[in-house]
Amino acid sequence: MPLRAKVASSVSRTAAALSRAAGRGDGSVIGGWIGLKIDPELLKHLAAGRSVALISGTNGKTTTTKLTVAALESAGRVATNAFGANMPTGHTSALAKAGATPYAVLEVDEHYLARVLDETRPRAVALLNLSRDQLDRAKEVAMMAQMWREALAHHPDVHVVANADDPMVTWAAYHCASVTWFSAGQRWHDDSWVCPECGGAIERAGGDWRCTTCPLRRPRPQWVVEEDGVVDPTGAWHQVKLSLPGTVNIGNAATALAVAAQFGVRPADAVLRLGSVTSVAGRYAQVERDGRLIRLLLAKNPASWLEAFDMAEAAPTLLSINARDPDGLDTSWLFDVDFAPLYGRRVLITGDRAYDLAVRLQVNGIPFEHVTSFADALAAVPPGRLEVIANYTAFQDIRAELDRVN
Amino acid sequence: MSTEDLRIVWIYPDLLSTYGDRGNMLILAARARARGIPVETIEIRSDQALPDSADLYLLGGGEDGPQALAAQRLNADGGLHRAVARGSVVFAVCAGYQLLGTSFFAKGAAYPGLSLLDLQSDRGPARAVGELHGVIDPRLGLPPLSGFENHGGRTHLGPGVSPLAQVTTGIGNDGTSEGAWRGNLIGTYSHGPALSRNPALADLLLRWATGAGYLPPLDDTWTDRLRHERQVAVAP
Ligand SMILES: [Zn+2]
């Protein structure tokens, strides 16, 4: 490593430690920011000599990154980035902090994939899904797919692990020289009715899809979710015992196994390690309070609401909605989500924008009770499980409240 | 009207669907069914022919490219023009509203609209994003408009249409007037599920579409609370 990179790396670690010591956050971004100021090529230097996997997509990337780390750890030490720090500053901090490791698994914000591909020269990149985020529009989904496609064209040596069930992801990876396709299902279809190749209509039947006017169609996947397990490319089925809920996470596990296989880790070995992942940045974490077993699920866009419904058990469910800056000020997306899966459950609502949610649920025909605080919600439900699904700042509020009393 | 059901068509959800546009169709259907009116909701993609026999047509928002494509296909199809000539009701938001005019701006150029409303749209100096509130044309007999806007356009009304509302918060057409209406056609910059905060407007569309002079009231307690909350939020 050149001297400037060594200095930058060491300052980056120190800055991160100082930031933590000063109580100014966990230092997962500031260290990398300073390091990159000193040496703009620092990430490149830190990644050199490691076998790197990148994980990107609109949803599930934090969880899939954690599962991939767990799978790869059977082969050696793995550097990885903390939740939220999924841009180059976060990657730089993470690699500087980890010291020398044979492997790195990095969660990458989908907007930064091109740059991180250039700088980390990964062995494999996993592309999970693309859908609208609260602040984005459908057209930006197509733009993102286009950006991915161009970025991948510059890196024909990178092995791509891509979701065959998502037409946008498929199109982005369609012409890559080396691709492994996985099938993890797609619940959200509203951003992929129009073919990104030709503008024709995408037709779906069962799990299959194809363009009605051009040759783009679902590739045959080599890794497939089946029941509570995953079928590998040899046809062998591996039961997946996760500590995380929902079939969505079995899909994330399939992706992790497919990525790990690119590093020579056999699925039979990797699959045993996946159960060690119990909570991802506070998500899925269970907290007991006054006999209530509370589970927190973060839903940050329409697609991830559908996934949260899949993960939640049929128990009393609290929904909390805010519309602060990080959430987007506009609550219109509530009508993109079909809340019908909650029908028959006891539903409580809260948050800054509970009334928007109330109107939405009324149109959906879902009865609900409004409570003005998380404490009131706890008091309203009997002992036993309480599922909590919240958007970004509402989730943070509830986490903070649980931490305070703990 | 050839069938007993109230027929609501959502035009081109594959092109014009952002920010919960589906909501308007869901809300109209729910409010009609709550009065015992049977409803058929129909989604017509841009590669399908648009039926001209429905009672109520909805147009949603969209980006420049899809908006231009939608205008081209709707003009070529002619179904919406025939439906309007028959007296069908149209409710359009955002990009869909601009489409109803004689021309709109997309991808740096002016495109011909459907010329169903006497108005034209161009680009404004800055994007209008935020709460949009206004006093609705008293002839429509509705409480104030409450919504959210997110658009880069400005719309200039000709003598053949009336503004839907006078702006009290936000930009709308030009900072003064918001939306437009003529006959059974209404357009607004209040985007997405605009009817979620404006149930009286939803009921007006239903009365027009069914010919019913009166619809029994529904329990709108939660909507009233939401409207009040938003009104307080934008109060100076
Ligand atoms: Zn095609």
Side-chain angles (χ1 to χ4, degrees):
Chain A
M1 197 183 274
L3 180 59
R4 186 167 67 150
K6 277 188 189 152
V7 171
S9 171
S10 138
V11 171
S12 165
R13 274 196 301 276
T14 315
L18 284 174
S19 164
R20 279 193 297 277
R24 290 199 202 108
D26 65 358
S28 57
V29 171
I30 186 74
W33 185 80
I34 291 173
L36 286 168
K37 277 269 177 217
I38 297 171
D39 182 358
E41 307 240 281
L42 181 57
L43 180 55
K44 203 183 218 172
H45 292 304
L46 287 168
R50 297 183 219 242
S51 288
V52 177
L54 306 181
I55 315 284
S56 196
T58 308
N59 290 319
K61 53 188 178 288
T62 308
T63 305
T64 305
T65 298
K66 265 210 148 183
L67 291 169
T68 308
V69 169
L72 258 188
E73 268 170 348
S74 65
R77 284 183 55 228
V78 184
T80 189
N81 52 331
F83 165 68
N86 59 11
M87 298 179 209
T89 46
H91 304 140
T92 305
S93 289
L95 295 184
K97 189 178 156 199
T101 61
Y103 301 104
V105 180
L106 300 175
E107 170 192 338
V108 184
D109 180 285
E110 52 276 31
H111 300 82
Y112 286 87
L113 187 63
R115 180 172 157 197
V116 181
L117 273 169
D118 288 343
E119 299 194 355
T120 64
R121 300 273 157 179
R123 187 189 292 188
V125 54
L127 307 177
L128 309 183
N129 49 63
L130 283 173
S131 72
R132 66 181 73 177
D133 237 341
Q134 243 93 297
L135 301 171
D136 294 344
R137 293 185 179 207
K139 184 212 168 196
E140 288 174 2
V141 171
M143 269 175 49
M144 192 75 68
Q146 176 74 38
M147 272 167 49
W148 278 12
R149 190 179 169 99
E150 285 164 14
L152 292 169
H154 290 123
H155 296 277
D157 48 324
V158 175
H159 185 82
V160 181
V161 177
N163 186 357
D165 294 331
D166 186 323
M168 291 303 188
V169 167
T170 299
W171 178 74
Y174 214 54
H175 296 295
C176 292
S178 166
V179 192
T180 302
W181 299 103
F182 64 89
S183 165
Q186 191 194 33
R187 275 167 193 74
W188 177 257
H189 295 158
D190 281 3
D191 291 317
S192 50
W193 290 113
V194 180
C195 174
E197 175 71 26
C198 73
I202 300 276
E203 195 175 73
R204 291 170 188 277
D208 202 9
W209 61 264
R210 63 176 192 89
C211 175
T212 50
T213 47
C214 85
L216 186 72
R217 60 178 304 157
R218 178 176 182 260
R220 227 176 105 87
Q222 289 108 314
W223 296 77
V224 179
V225 171
E226 210 175 282
E227 311 268 308
D228 58 340
V230 175
V231 179
D232 74 18
T234 70
W237 180 79
H238 307 273
Q239 186 173 27
V240 176
K241 287 184 180 158
L242 293 181
S243 311
L244 309 175
T247 51
V248 170
N249 281 322
I250 308 266
N252 291 333
T255 313
L257 295 178
V259 173
Q262 288 304 310
F263 294 78
V265 178
R266 296 187 315 137
D269 299 332
V271 75
L272 302 172
R273 311 181 68 94
L274 301 181
S276 66
V277 179
T278 51
S279 132
V280 177
R283 276 182 261 175
Y284 321 115
Q286 302 203 33
V287 181
E288 208 191 320
R289 175 68 42 81
D290 305 331
R292 277 83 174 168
L293 195 57
I294 304 153
R295 180 162 55 189
L296 288 178
L297 297 167
L298 171 67
K300 54 196 173 88
N301 51 45
S304 68
W305 276 88
L306 300 188
E307 295 179 355
F309 297 152
D310 166 71
M311 292 183 227
E313 282 175 23
T317 302
L318 173 69
L319 308 177
S320 185
I321 300 291
N322 288 349
R324 301 177 197 164
D325 279 326
D327 308 306
L329 302 178
D330 182 12
T331 56
S332 300
W333 60 270
L334 283 168
F335 281 86
D336 285 329
V337 179
D338 183 4
F339 290 83
L342 295 180
Y343 196 83
R345 292 183 208 178
R346 183 166 171 205
V347 175
L348 297 96
I349 65 170
T350 193
D352 298 350
R353 300 301 291 269
Y355 293 158
D356 293 78
L357 182 56
V359 170
R360 171 68 188 111
L361 290 175
Q362 209 169 26
V363 173
N364 229 154
I366 313 273
F368 59 89
E369 302 153 57
H370 176 232
V371 290
T372 50
S373 70
F374 181 64
D376 286 356
L378 278 187
V381 297
R385 181 175 291 285
L386 172 66
E387 299 280 10
V388 178
I389 311 176
N391 71 343
Y392 192 70
T393 66
F395 181 88
Q396 304 295 1
D397 281 359
I398 292 172
R399 256 183 85 187
E401 193 161 333
L402 283 169
D403 287 347
R404 241 194 329 273
V405 193
N406 259 343
Chain B
M1 255 134 283
S2 52
T3 66
E4 303 274 304
D5 294 0
L6 173 69
R7 298 178 76 212
I8 302 175
V9 168
W10 181 12
I11 300 173
Y12 299 171
D14 55 327
L15 296 179
L16 300 172
S17 173
T18 55
Y19 299 114
D21 285 322
R22 178 180 297 277
N24 293 323
M25 181 178 72
L26 297 175
I27 290 160
L28 287 165
R31 296 186 76 83
R33 289 186 183 121
R35 271 78 170 234
I37 303 167
V39 183
E40 187 187 353
T41 58
I42 306 153
E43 298 179 25
I44 300 294
R45 277 198 325 237
S46 59
D47 59 346
Q48 297 172 299
L50 193 70
D52 57 17
S53 59
D55 306 299
L56 209 166
Y57 292 81
L58 298 171
L59 282 161
E63 285 288 339
D64 284 12
Q67 183 186 17
L69 193 55
Q72 199 183 22
R73 293 194 182 170
L74 283 171
N75 273 325
D77 180 277
L80 187 60
H81 293 85
R82 289 193 298 277
V84 168
R86 284 182 47 254
S88 297
V89 180
V90 179
F91 180 64
V93 306
C94 215
Y97 162 46
Q98 295 181 350
L99 274 185
L100 295 181
T102 49
S103 73
F104 61 91
F105 225 71
K107 300 187 289 188
Y111 282 79
L114 308 183
S115 298
L116 290 168
L117 288 179
D118 179 17
L119 53 87
Q120 52 180 5
S121 304
D122 53 26
R123 278 270 175 267
R127 224 177 150 74
V129 184
E131 291 282 327
L132 174 61
H133 295 230
V135 178
I136 293 185
D137 188 331
R139 288 172 294 169
L140 292 172
L142 298 173
L145 182 77
S146 174
F148 195 95
E149 63 183 333
N150 186 348
H151 58 99
R154 297 296 182 272
T155 295
H156 313 281
L157 307 186
V161 290
S162 304
L164 174 64
Q166 297 301 319
V167 173
T168 52
T169 299
I171 303 294
N173 293 332
D174 54 9
T176 305
S177 77
E178 144 48 22
W181 73 284
R182 175 187 66 83
N184 289 346
L185 279 62
I186 293 182
T188 174
Y189 271 120
S190 173
H191 83 178
L195 300 176
S196 67
R197 284 203 218 166
N198 301 283
L201 176 55
D203 285 354
L204 175 71
L205 297 171
L206 288 176
R207 279 192 276 121
W208 283 353
T210 58
Y214 169 83
L215 290 172
L218 299 176
D219 180 0
D220 285 321
T221 308
W222 292 106
T223 318
D224 291 343
R225 285 180 188 168
L226 173 59
R227 284 175 62 86
H228 181 253
E229 176 200 281
R230 298 329 300 156
Q231 195 190 330
V232 169
V234 300

mmCIF file of all heavy atoms in Angstrom, chain A residues 34-51:
data_model
loop_
_atom_site.group_PDB
_atom_site.id
_atom_site.type_symbol
_atom_site.label_atom_id
_atom_site.label_comp_id
_atom_site.label_asym_id
_atom_site.label_seq_id
_atom_site.Cartn_x
_atom_site.Cartn_y
_atom_site.Cartn_z
ATOM 1 N N ILE A 34 -12.857 11.185 6.127
ATOM 2 C CA ILE A 34 -11.542 11.808 6.316
ATOM 3 C C ILE A 34 -10.485 11.048 5.515
ATOM 4 O O ILE A 34 -9.652 11.643 4.835
ATOM 5 C CB ILE A 34 -11.178 11.850 7.820
ATOM 6 C CG1 ILE A 34 -12.115 12.839 8.522
ATOM 7 C CG2 ILE A 34 -9.730 12.227 8.027
ATOM 8 C CD1 ILE A 34 -11.977 12.861 10.028
ATOM 9 N N GLY A 35 -10.546 9.714 5.570
ATOM 10 C CA GLY A 35 -9.579 8.903 4.841
ATOM 11 C C GLY A 35 -9.591 9.205 3.349
ATOM 12 O O GLY A 35 -8.549 9.354 2.719
ATOM 13 N N LEU A 36 -10.800 9.334 2.785
ATOM 14 C CA LEU A 36 -10.921 9.601 1.346
ATOM 15 C C LEU A 36 -10.474 11.024 1.003
ATOM 16 O O LEU A 36 -10.053 11.306 -0.115
ATOM 17 C CB LEU A 36 -12.361 9.366 0.874
ATOM 18 C CG LEU A 36 -12.778 7.891 0.772
ATOM 19 C CD1 LEU A 36 -14.282 7.767 0.580
ATOM 20 C CD2 LEU A 36 -12.042 7.187 -0.366
ATOM 21 N N LYS A 37 -10.551 11.929 1.993
ATOM 22 C CA LYS A 37 -10.046 13.299 1.794
ATOM 23 C C LYS A 37 -8.528 13.259 1.618
ATOM 24 O O LYS A 37 -7.960 13.950 0.781
ATOM 25 C CB LYS A 37 -10.376 14.177 3.012
ATOM 26 C CG LYS A 37 -11.770 14.742 2.981
ATOM 27 C CD LYS A 37 -11.759 16.107 2.299
ATOM 28 C CE LYS A 37 -13.169 16.633 2.199
ATOM 29 N NZ LYS A 37 -13.408 17.347 0.960
ATOM 30 N N ILE A 38 -7.882 12.448 2.456
ATOM 31 C CA ILE A 38 -6.422 12.373 2.408
ATOM 32 C C ILE A 38 -5.973 11.627 1.164
ATOM 33 O O ILE A 38 -5.051 12.027 0.475
ATOM 34 C CB ILE A 38 -5.874 11.680 3.679
ATOM 35 C CG1 ILE A 38 -6.221 12.521 4.909
ATOM 36 C CG2 ILE A 38 -4.370 11.448 3.572
ATOM 37 C CD1 ILE A 38 -5.915 11.842 6.227
ATOM 38 N N ASP A 39 -6.655 10.527 0.858
ATOM 39 C CA ASP A 39 -6.300 9.737 -0.323
ATOM 40 C C ASP A 39 -7.576 9.300 -1.039
ATOM 41 O O ASP A 39 -8.241 8.362 -0.616
ATOM 42 C CB ASP A 39 -5.495 8.501 0.092
ATOM 43 C CG ASP A 39 -5.078 7.688 -1.135
ATOM 44 O OD1 ASP A 39 -5.454 8.078 -2.272
ATOM 45 O OD2 ASP A 39 -4.389 6.670 -0.952
ATOM 46 N N PRO A 40 -7.913 9.997 -2.129
ATOM 47 C CA PRO A 40 -9.155 9.672 -2.842
ATOM 48 C C PRO A 40 -9.187 8.228 -3.346
ATOM 49 O O PRO A 40 -10.245 7.705 -3.665
ATOM 50 C CB PRO A 40 -9.168 10.652 -4.018
ATOM 51 C CG PRO A 40 -8.214 11.743 -3.645
ATOM 52 C CD PRO A 40 -7.192 11.117 -2.740
ATOM 53 N N GLU A 41 -8.013 7.586 -3.408
ATOM 54 C CA GLU A 41 -7.962 6.213 -3.903
ATOM 55 C C GLU A 41 -7.968 5.199 -2.765
ATOM 56 O O GLU A 41 -7.684 4.014 -2.990
ATOM 57 C CB GLU A 41 -6.682 6.014 -4.721
ATOM 58 C CG GLU A 41 -6.479 7.036 -5.821
ATOM 59 C CD GLU A 41 -6.420 6.371 -7.168
ATOM 60 O OE1 GLU A 41 -5.363 5.824 -7.502
ATOM 61 O OE2 GLU A 41 -7.463 6.369 -7.865
ATOM 62 N N LEU A 42 -8.265 5.678 -1.562
ATOM 63 C CA LEU A 42 -8.103 4.815 -0.390
ATOM 64 C C LEU A 42 -8.936 3.532 -0.481
ATOM 65 O O LEU A 42 -8.449 2.445 -0.158
ATOM 66 C CB LEU A 42 -8.463 5.594 0.890
ATOM 67 C CG LEU A 42 -8.304 4.815 2.194
ATOM 68 C CD1 LEU A 42 -6.878 4.286 2.352
ATOM 69 C CD2 LEU A 42 -8.657 5.704 3.392
ATOM 70 N N LEU A 43 -10.172 3.656 -0.943
ATOM 71 C CA LEU A 43 -11.023 2.462 -1.005
ATOM 72 C C LEU A 43 -10.400 1.409 -1.927
ATOM 73 O O LEU A 43 -10.397 0.214 -1.617
ATOM 74 C CB LEU A 43 -12.436 2.847 -1.468
ATOM 75 C CG LEU A 43 -13.446 1.697 -1.585
ATOM 76 C CD1 LEU A 43 -13.563 0.903 -0.296
ATOM 77 C CD2 LEU A 43 -14.821 2.233 -1.996
ATOM 78 N N LYS A 44 -9.879 1.880 -3.050
ATOM 79 C CA LYS A 44 -9.218 0.993 -4.007
ATOM 80 C C LYS A 44 -8.062 0.244 -3.335
ATOM 81 O O LYS A 44 -7.934 -0.978 -3.460
ATOM 82 C CB LYS A 44 -8.688 1.866 -5.143
ATOM 83 C CG LYS A 44 -8.470 1.182 -6.454
ATOM 84 C CD LYS A 44 -7.873 2.204 -7.406
ATOM 85 C CE LYS A 44 -8.383 2.083 -8.804
ATOM 86 N NZ LYS A 44 -7.922 3.207 -9.645
ATOM 87 N N HIS A 45 -7.234 0.998 -2.585
ATOM 88 C CA HIS A 45 -6.088 0.374 -1.920
ATOM 89 C C HIS A 45 -6.534 -0.609 -0.843
ATOM 90 O O HIS A 45 -5.945 -1.674 -0.673
ATOM 91 C CB HIS A 45 -5.193 1.448 -1.295
ATOM 92 C CG HIS A 45 -4.506 2.302 -2.307
ATOM 93 N ND1 HIS A 45 -3.712 1.781 -3.301
ATOM 94 C CD2 HIS A 45 -4.521 3.636 -2.503
ATOM 95 C CE1 HIS A 45 -3.255 2.767 -4.059
ATOM 96 N NE2 HIS A 45 -3.735 3.914 -3.605
ATOM 97 N N LEU A 46 -7.562 -0.228 -0.098
ATOM 98 C CA LEU A 46 -8.026 -1.098 0.983
ATOM 99 C C LEU A 46 -8.657 -2.378 0.452
ATOM 100 O O LEU A 46 -8.619 -3.422 1.088
ATOM 101 C CB LEU A 46 -9.043 -0.352 1.865
ATOM 102 C CG LEU A 46 -8.468 0.734 2.778
ATOM 103 C CD1 LEU A 46 -9.589 1.580 3.372
ATOM 104 C CD2 LEU A 46 -7.644 0.109 3.905
ATOM 105 N N ALA A 47 -9.272 -2.282 -0.740
ATOM 106 C CA ALA A 47 -9.945 -3.461 -1.304
ATOM 107 C C ALA A 47 -8.948 -4.394 -1.992
ATOM 108 O O ALA A 47 -9.193 -5.601 -2.092
ATOM 109 C CB ALA A 47 -11.019 -3.018 -2.292
ATOM 110 N N ALA A 48 -7.829 -3.829 -2.447
ATOM 111 C CA ALA A 48 -6.852 -4.636 -3.179
ATOM 112 C C ALA A 48 -6.367 -5.790 -2.302
ATOM 113 O O ALA A 48 -6.125 -5.616 -1.113
ATOM 114 C CB ALA A 48 -5.684 -3.760 -3.613
ATOM 115 N N GLY A 49 -6.270 -6.960 -2.884
ATOM 116 C CA GLY A 49 -5.775 -8.103 -2.122
ATOM 117 C C GLY A 49 -6.871 -8.847 -1.381
ATOM 118 O O GLY A 49 -6.619 -9.868 -0.762
ATOM 119 N N ARG A 50 -8.099 -8.327 -1.399
ATOM 120 C CA ARG A 50 -9.208 -9.070 -0.774
ATOM 121 C C ARG A 50 -10.107 -9.625 -1.869
ATOM 122 O O ARG A 50 -10.251 -9.019 -2.927
ATOM 123 C CB ARG A 50 -10.075 -8.149 0.089
ATOM 124 C CG ARG A 50 -9.364 -7.539 1.267
ATOM 125 C CD ARG A 50 -10.369 -6.709 2.071
ATOM 126 N NE ARG A 50 -9.739 -5.491 2.551
ATOM 127 C CZ ARG A 50 -9.590 -5.178 3.834
ATOM 128 N NH1 ARG A 50 -10.036 -5.973 4.773
ATOM 129 N NH2 ARG A 50 -8.995 -4.056 4.188
ATOM 130 N N SER A 51 -10.748 -10.730 -1.570
ATOM 131 C CA SER A 51 -11.822 -11.217 -2.437
ATOM 132 C C SER A 51 -13.102 -10.546 -1.964
ATOM 133 O O SER A 51 -13.531 -10.755 -0.835
ATOM 134 C CB SER A 51 -11.978 -12.733 -2.308
ATOM 135 O OG SER A 51 -10.898 -13.363 -2.936
#
